[in-house]
């Protein structure tokens, strides 16, 4: 289910079939350098179940429209009564393309999620 779009990206709910593409991002040492150690497959499975497939989810799948492929995820959820947490984990192939700015603008333009 698509939640919102930008000119180049789709933001949608995670699906179980996202496990291996998500693992490719979360296991990349360059991507995870300032976040936490790279994830094993079992850690990615737990993250997908606990944060992506939970209700409500804490994160959402983000994919390029063309070609259609999962490259990253958006973290967007209530943090406390007055604020939201907003963040991204972007595959290294997505760096330097303005995707973070594009996602931030779209997620904060109005109540999307």
């Amino acid at each position: 289910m698509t939640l919102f779009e930008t000119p180049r990206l789709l933001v949608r709910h995670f699906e179980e079939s996202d496990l291996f593409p998500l693992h490719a991002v979360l296991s990349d040492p360059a991507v995870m350098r300032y976040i936490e150690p790279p994830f094993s497959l079992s850690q990615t499975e737990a993250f997908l179940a606990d944060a992506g497939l939970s209700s409500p989810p804490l994160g959402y799948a983000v994919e390029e429209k063309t070609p259609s492929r999962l490259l990253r995820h958006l973290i967007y959820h209530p943090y406390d009564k007055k604020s939201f947490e907003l963040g991204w984990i972007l595959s290294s192939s997505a760096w330097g393309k303005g995707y973070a700015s594009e996602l931030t603008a779209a997620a904060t333009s109005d109540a999307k999620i």
Side-chain angles (χ1 to χ4, degrees), residues 48-86:
L48 182 60
D50 297 342
L53 299 174
S54 61
S55 183
L58 302 176
Y60 299 88
V62 179
E63 62 182 60
E64 285 181 312
K65 290 180 179 178
T66 307
S68 178
R69 62 183 171 170
L70 180 74
L71 292 177
R72 61 209 57 86
H73 73 271
L74 173 70
I75 301 160
Y76 188 72
H77 60 89
Y79 185 75
D80 58 30
K81 292 181 180 183
K82 296 181 181 181
S83 60
F84 275 77
E85 180 177 19
L86 174 63

Side-chain angles (χ1 to χ4, degrees), residues 2-94:
T2 300
L3 298 168
F4 65 90
E5 298 181 35
T6 71
R8 301 178 294 168
L9 304 170
L10 294 173
V11 177
R12 61 170 175 78
H13 285 275
F14 274 111
E15 300 169 354
E16 288 183 18
S17 62
D18 291 322
L19 175 62
F20 293 109
L22 180 61
H23 180 64
V25 175
L26 296 180
S27 65
D28 183 334
V31 169
M32 299 300 284
R33 181 175 178 188
Y34 299 107
I35 301 166
E36 58 186 283
F39 280 25
S40 66
L41 183 58
S42 63
Q43 288 173 305
T44 304
E45 287 177 302
F47 173 83
L48 182 60
D50 297 342
L53 299 174
S54 61
S55 183
L58 302 176
Y60 299 88
V62 179
E63 62 182 60
E64 285 181 312
K65 290 180 179 178
T66 307
S68 178
R69 62 183 171 170
L70 180 74
L71 292 177
R72 61 209 57 86
H73 73 271
L74 173 70
I75 301 160
Y76 188 72
H77 60 89
Y79 185 75
D80 58 30
K81 292 181 180 183
K82 296 181 181 181
S83 60
F84 275 77
E85 180 177 19
L86 174 63
W88 337 260
I89 296 183
L90 306 173
S91 67
S92 57
S93 65

